[in-house]
Amino acid sequence: METLVTLESFIRSAQASSFSAAARTLGLTPAAVSQNVARLETNLGVRLFQRSTRGLTLTESGERLLREASNGLDVLQMAIANVAMTAGQPAGTLKVSMPAAFGQNLVLPLLEDFLTRYPGIVPDWHFDNRSVDIINEGFDAAIGGGFDLPTGLAARELARAHIIAVAAPSYVAKIKPPRKPADLKNFDGILMRSPQTGRIRSWPLRNRTGEQVAVEMRPRMLFNDPEACTHCAVMGLGITFTAMHNALPHLQAGRLVRLLPDWHADIGPISIYYAGHKQLPAKTRVFVDFIIDSFKRQGLARQLSAC
């Protein structure tokens, strides 16, 4: 009878086409994962992977085992997670990805209440501005925008991602504030490059009447991180476009002011993503429900709205 760890090592390696990627998901070394797979192959008497310098390729036997065993492994892992209870409460490590500023400004303040309710859960939260592969990277959930939603994932919207123009009071004091989007071309722009494409990001602005216009600003400096853009604006170095969740604490503290208050860009939903099957582990289910309920009770979606 094969052990859970050998089967999981095979399945995660097959899904990622890499022992190293599987090792990161499982918290093992690549050598340990490779040894687990080799042990499984020896026990079954078949080769499951063709190994090469370019990665792993499943053999016909490997494809069959992956097809027939992966769903069963997921069900078994969920069953184990659901009975791993402390005093009748959900328990276990909760691995979640979220954007750095969004997580620190909006989700971390909820942590004390969450841990009071569910003391058996250990948060393993990753603050990262990239879209993670929830299944293959072993995340229980992820918060953000721009995720692909393949079969097997579900999403619940928390708020809209609204982009606004901001600057420090010290910078605004030196200029004639823009009255319409076209005026922005006359000012120092703190612009952002897409980490994925390297292109300078540009968002068409729209107002409450539905009018939409393209915006250009003179590049004064370029970054690939939204927090860097926001902090340079706080320093009074120019005007930047940033998401409401990046700007909110600075707006509330008076370190930034919003320009063109009738205009914003809507770049889609900010959602919480998780595996969409019915047998969701208890730790993940209570976290998803808690976040959705907290955003509703505290009116966080309203705070993040630029309208």
Side-chain angles (χ1 to χ4, degrees):
M1 182 67 67
E2 297 308 324
T3 65
L4 186 64
V5 69
T6 57
L7 285 171
E8 188 171 22
S9 292
F10 162 70
I11 290 170
R12 301 310 174 207
S13 298
Q15 291 172 334
S17 299
S18 165
F19 289 142
S20 297
R24 289 192 293 271
T25 297
L26 297 172
L28 301 173
T29 65
V33 173
S34 177
Q35 290 167 5
N36 288 338
V37 173
R39 188 178 302 116
L40 179 61
E41 289 178 319
T42 298
N43 292 344
L44 295 177
V46 298
R47 181 173 290 277
L48 299 172
F49 290 114
Q50 297 291 351
R51 297 157 172 83
S52 72
T53 56
R54 291 179 294 179
L56 301 175
T57 304
L58 284 168
T59 64
E60 183 178 351
S61 296
E63 290 178 351
R64 179 176 179 180
L65 181 60
L66 178 65
R67 183 170 60 250
E68 296 183 359
S70 57
N71 289 338
L73 178 65
D74 290 340
V75 170
L76 182 56
Q77 287 179 321
M78 279 179 259
I80 292 171
N82 285 335
V83 298
M85 308 288 276
T86 301
Q89 289 288 321
T93 299
L94 182 72
K95 186 178 178 182
V96 183
S97 171
M98 63 192 81
F102 188 93
Q104 292 166 14
N105 296 336
L106 296 165
V107 183
L108 270 185
L110 306 175
L111 182 57
E112 183 177 6
D113 186 19
F114 181 73
L115 292 181
T116 299
R117 295 191 194 187
Y118 307 108
I121 294 178
V122 178
D124 179 8
W125 290 1
H126 297 238
F127 297 96
D128 200 338
N129 292 320
R130 68 186 179 93
S131 295
V132 299
D133 185 332
I134 295 174
I135 303 299
N136 288 335
E137 295 184 53
F139 285 93
D140 296 295
I143 298 174
F147 282 72
D148 292 329
L149 197 61
T151 301
L153 283 187
R156 298 282 298 278
E157 184 174 322
L158 300 175
R160 301 299 297 181
H162 285 172
I163 303 293
I164 59 172
V166 295
S170 59
Y171 185 82
V172 175
K174 298 185 297 185
I175 64 172
K176 182 179 179 181
R179 300 179 58 185
K180 57 185 183 296
D183 295 339
L184 289 172
K185 66 178 182 294
N186 300 317
F187 302 106
D188 295 320
I190 304 170
L191 306 183
M192 181 174 166
R193 288 192 184 277
S194 167
Q196 290 77 31
T197 67
R199 297 175 181 172
I200 297 176
R201 284 186 168 171
S202 176
W203 294 280
L205 299 183
R206 68 181 186 189
N207 60 16
R208 293 180 177 86
T209 65
E211 182 183 359
Q212 185 166 298
V213 297
V215 175
E216 292 184 4
M217 273 201 299
R218 182 173 65 241
R220 183 63 183 88
M221 57 197 74
L222 301 166
F223 299 98
N224 69 345
D225 178 73
E227 276 290 275
C229 294
T230 304
H231 281 294
C232 284
V234 170
M235 292 165 62
L237 300 180
I239 296 173
T240 194
F241 286 102
T242 190
M244 280 292 296
H245 64 258
N246 291 89
L248 188 60
H250 302 295
L251 293 171
Q252 292 172 333
R255 295 186 292 268
L256 289 176
V257 295
R258 182 178 175 183
L259 305 174
L260 302 172
D262 293 331
W263 295 85
H264 74 279
D266 185 328
I267 59 171
I270 301 171
S271 300
I272 183 166
Y273 299 82
Y274 54 94
H277 40 62
K278 294 181 180 179
Q279 295 175 309
L280 196 65
K283 61 180 181 178
T284 308
R285 184 175 62 251
V286 297
F287 175 72
V288 171
D289 291 343
F290 174 83
I291 293 296
I292 293 170
D293 179 65
S294 296
F295 266 68
K296 289 180 180 178
R297 285 189 295 102
Q298 299 189 20
L300 296 179
R302 185 179 66 254
Q303 293 182 39
L304 297 178
S305 175
C307 299

